[in-house]
Amino acid sequence: MSEYSRSPRQPRKKGSPAGGAKGRGAPTRSGAARGGRAGKGGAAAGPRFAGSTKASQPTKLPERRATPEIDVHDPEGVRLQKLMAAGGVGSRRVCENLIEQGRVEVDGQVVTELGVRINPRTQVVHVDGVRVNLDEDRVYLAFNKPKGVVTTMHDELGRISLADYVGNREERLFHVGRLDADTEGLLLLTNDGDLAHRLQHPAYGVLKTYIATIRGPVQRDVGKRLREGVELDDGPVTVDSFRIVDHQPGKAMVEVVLHEGRKHVVRRMLEAVGHPVVELVRTEVGPIRLADLKSGRTRRLNKAEIGALYKAAGL
């Protein structure tokens, strides 16, 4: 190999000349390049890489502890692919492919065998990280609450309540959060108590979106004040998002997004910044949208929406 074809960084063979003999204190070309600026007498000043280990002493990576395998098989249960197909994941064959590809977890354990049986009432299944509803007895409804309806299944004062719309169902339904009588819009109803709790608890950060008609014009700093926090009589509150949707003489339409669930919180915070609410509609809860659902009507959530709710609630 010629002197010019050799890579500049390739070490020379022992004993090859390089413009004269190398003394013990003489810096090599590669040593000067690696050591940075040379000090007096040509010696390299300082370590090659500050804070690094020597090339002959590589850093030892910490050993990873293997996750203990859990036996999720229940001999008295139902075949996993059958439950997945019933849960709306896809055909039986599609579900089998998902299992073989390692995309299915049962109780946090990846399952790749097709003969696994599980208990749909006690075990949890995720496909690609999204939970699958296996319990056919569970109900998930979206309801467009009309103005004037109180959010309760029984009203002692005899006012129109949720019971007038869903009281004839066999299941005992929970309403996810509340809407005051003067507020209309999206209300979720379910008999899944764990999900209902998580969706309405502020610790889980599930966002709710409202469209409010307020008295205008809207002051320029309103959005900033709401995002920084407004002090109410029961403590401070902040919005996650605020924007003006439309404005007309004397009033404006704004969108408010927050994860708080306190009583009348949207009305109170807008009034605190000088813009009392004229009308209020909730349009979204997490990934679920009111869309074109008519007032007073309910609809069942589809499998994808249920999975998205589970994900939003961290289940």
Side-chain angles (χ1 to χ4, degrees):
M1 180 183 292
S2 70
E3 186 73 19
Y4 301 102
S5 63
R6 183 182 294 112
S7 170
R9 294 185 179 272
Q10 183 176 349
R12 301 178 185 276
K13 293 183 179 179
K14 187 175 181 180
S16 60
K22 297 179 184 178
R24 284 189 177 183
T28 64
R29 181 180 179 184
S30 60
R34 291 175 185 171
R37 295 184 301 172
K40 293 182 179 180
R48 291 179 299 169
F49 301 103
S52 68
T53 58
K54 295 181 180 179
S56 60
Q57 299 178 349
T59 302
K60 184 178 179 180
L61 296 176
E63 296 182 359
R64 293 185 178 181
R65 295 183 179 180
T67 304
E69 293 189 1
I70 304 173
D71 185 8
V72 298
H73 178 68
D74 184 349
E76 304 298 325
V78 184
R79 285 188 179 274
L80 178 57
Q81 59 265 41
K82 181 179 179 180
L83 288 171
M84 289 170 56
V89 176
S91 66
R92 188 84 61 93
R93 183 56 189 160
V94 168
C95 295
E96 290 175 351
N97 289 337
L98 291 171
I99 294 172
E100 291 175 332
Q101 293 167 10
R103 296 165 61 183
V104 180
E105 292 183 0
V106 178
D107 293 343
Q109 185 76 35
V110 176
V111 175
T112 57
E113 298 180 6
L114 298 181
V116 172
R117 294 173 176 268
I118 66 168
N119 186 335
R121 293 186 177 276
T122 60
Q123 294 180 277
V124 177
V125 174
H126 287 82
V127 177
D128 292 336
V130 179
R131 182 168 169 172
V132 180
N133 176 37
L134 304 178
D135 191 345
E136 296 181 354
D137 293 333
R138 289 184 175 176
V139 177
Y140 304 87
L141 301 175
F143 174 55
N144 188 349
K145 188 190 86 65
K147 189 175 182 179
V149 176
V150 293
T151 308
T152 181
M153 289 297 179
H154 175 71
D155 184 62
E156 297 179 352
L157 301 178
R159 295 171 295 181
I160 300 176
S161 67
L162 299 178
D164 293 283
Y165 294 89
V166 295
N168 58 345
R169 300 186 65 94
E170 295 180 0
E171 309 89 0
R172 181 190 175 191
L173 298 178
F174 304 97
H175 46 81
V176 179
R178 290 179 177 271
L179 292 177
D180 61 67
D182 292 329
T183 301
E184 54 189 308
L186 181 60
L187 189 66
L188 299 182
L189 303 170
T190 181
N191 57 354
D192 188 338
D194 191 17
L195 178 64
H197 168 71
R198 284 176 174 247
L199 289 175
Q200 60 189 321
H201 199 291
Y204 295 97
V206 180
L207 300 178
K208 289 86 175 176
T209 302
Y210 297 82
I211 297 295
T213 301
I214 61 177
R215 295 178 184 174
V218 181
Q219 302 169 20
R220 183 172 297 181
D221 65 339
V222 166
K224 180 181 179 181
R225 292 172 61 189
L226 291 173
R227 284 187 288 268
E228 291 179 347
V230 177
E231 189 70 34
L232 303 179
D233 54 2
D234 54 354
V237 61
T238 61
V239 303
D240 294 85
S241 174
F242 175 87
R243 69 184 181 94
I244 300 174
V245 177
D246 189 19
H247 55 84
Q248 299 176 3
K251 64 179 181 179
M253 185 178 293
V254 299
E255 179 189 80
V256 180
V257 182
L258 72 168
H259 59 273
E260 283 278 0
R262 281 181 267 173
K263 187 176 181 180
H264 305 307
V265 64
V266 177
R267 294 179 181 274
R268 289 190 293 145
M269 67 190 310
L270 288 174
E271 186 171 2
V273 294
H275 295 282
V277 172
V278 179
E279 294 180 354
L280 186 61
V281 180
R282 183 159 68 190
T283 58
E284 298 178 30
V285 175
I288 309 303
R289 297 183 177 182
L290 183 63
D292 57 355
L293 183 63
K294 295 182 179 180
S295 180
R297 302 295 295 272
T298 62
R299 70 170 180 86
R300 282 183 171 269
L301 301 186
N302 59 43
K303 303 297 182 181
E305 289 176 318
I306 296 171
L309 274 179
Y310 278 132
K311 187 174 183 178
L315 290 172

